[in-house]
Amino acid sequence: MSEIRVMIIEDHALMREGIKAIVSRDSNIRVIAESDNVDDGYYAVMENKPDILLLDISLHGRSGLVLARKLLGEMPELKIIIITAYSKIEYILEAVENGVKGYILKESSPENLADAIEKVYKGEIYIDSYISNKVIKSLITKDDVEIAEDSK
């Protein structure tokens, strides 16, 4: 496998350094840039053109999901993995609807992060196993509601 070029946008320095240390264990993954905020992060992505962007949802009170939507509108080939403490179904669905390819919780094991990066790089979707059941239940419930409305 060729080298995977990763960028991290995370506003907490300790978390950012931890993520960098975890992904740097894998010889196929190289962190090429990092940022702690939406504005600098946007310009760093446009300049460095990473293969994978690891993006937090909450960045100094601004939304990483809004940034993801903007970036994917300009760079549809960019693969984004959300790394967050939030497991709310609304965030997960918004991320996926906006074209995000991965969603992983900060409480996941370090091995899951490397696995997510490799799978998303290969074109797969990665949803943290802790929240995948929530997503499926939400989609089933939504479909049931739509079916019931259609039958009226």
Side-chain angles (χ1 to χ4, degrees):
M1 179 184 343
S2 61
E3 180 181 74
I4 304 171
R5 300 170 63 246
V6 172
M7 181 176 163
I8 303 166
I9 302 179
E10 162 65 57
D11 58 346
H12 295 97
L14 188 59
M15 182 61 69
R16 194 171 55 253
E17 289 300 318
I19 292 169
K20 189 163 61 170
I22 290 166
V23 299
S24 295
R25 292 181 199 164
D26 190 317
S27 60
N28 293 328
I29 302 171
R30 182 168 60 99
V31 176
I32 60 166
E34 56 187 89
S35 177
D36 67 352
N37 67 76
V38 169
D39 296 327
D40 293 343
Y42 169 81
Y43 292 111
V45 169
M46 299 306 282
E47 180 180 326
N48 291 286
K49 303 203 180 336
D51 299 313
I52 303 280
L53 172 61
L54 302 177
L55 177 63
D56 191 9
I57 285 182
S58 179
L59 297 162
H60 296 299
R62 295 184 62 198
S63 174
L65 293 175
V66 172
L67 176 60
R69 184 173 48 247
K70 180 177 181 178
L71 286 167
L72 290 169
E74 296 179 32
M75 296 176 61
E77 72 283 359
L78 178 63
K79 294 175 175 136
I80 298 177
I81 299 173
I82 297 292
I83 300 181
T84 185
Y86 301 111
S87 62
K88 291 178 76 173
I89 193 68
E90 295 83 16
Y91 292 145
I92 299 162
L93 293 177
E94 181 180 347
V96 172
E97 287 169 359
N98 286 326
V100 166
K101 302 298 183 203
Y103 199 102
I104 189 167
L105 297 176
K106 289 180 179 178
E107 63 193 51
S108 290
S109 74
E111 295 79 22
N112 287 354
L113 180 56
D115 187 42
I117 292 169
E118 290 177 8
K119 285 183 176 175
V120 168
Y121 181 75
K122 291 176 184 175
E124 298 176 39
I125 302 290
Y126 185 94
I127 302 290
D128 194 303
S129 60
Y130 175 78
I131 56 177
S132 60
N133 285 338
K134 272 180 116 171
V135 172
I136 291 168
K137 284 180 184 177
S138 174
L139 293 173
I140 290 170
T141 303
K142 183 179 176 187
D143 285 345
D144 288 346
V145 169
E146 287 175 2
I147 289 167
E149 289 174 358
D150 288 345
S151 65
K152 284 184 182 176

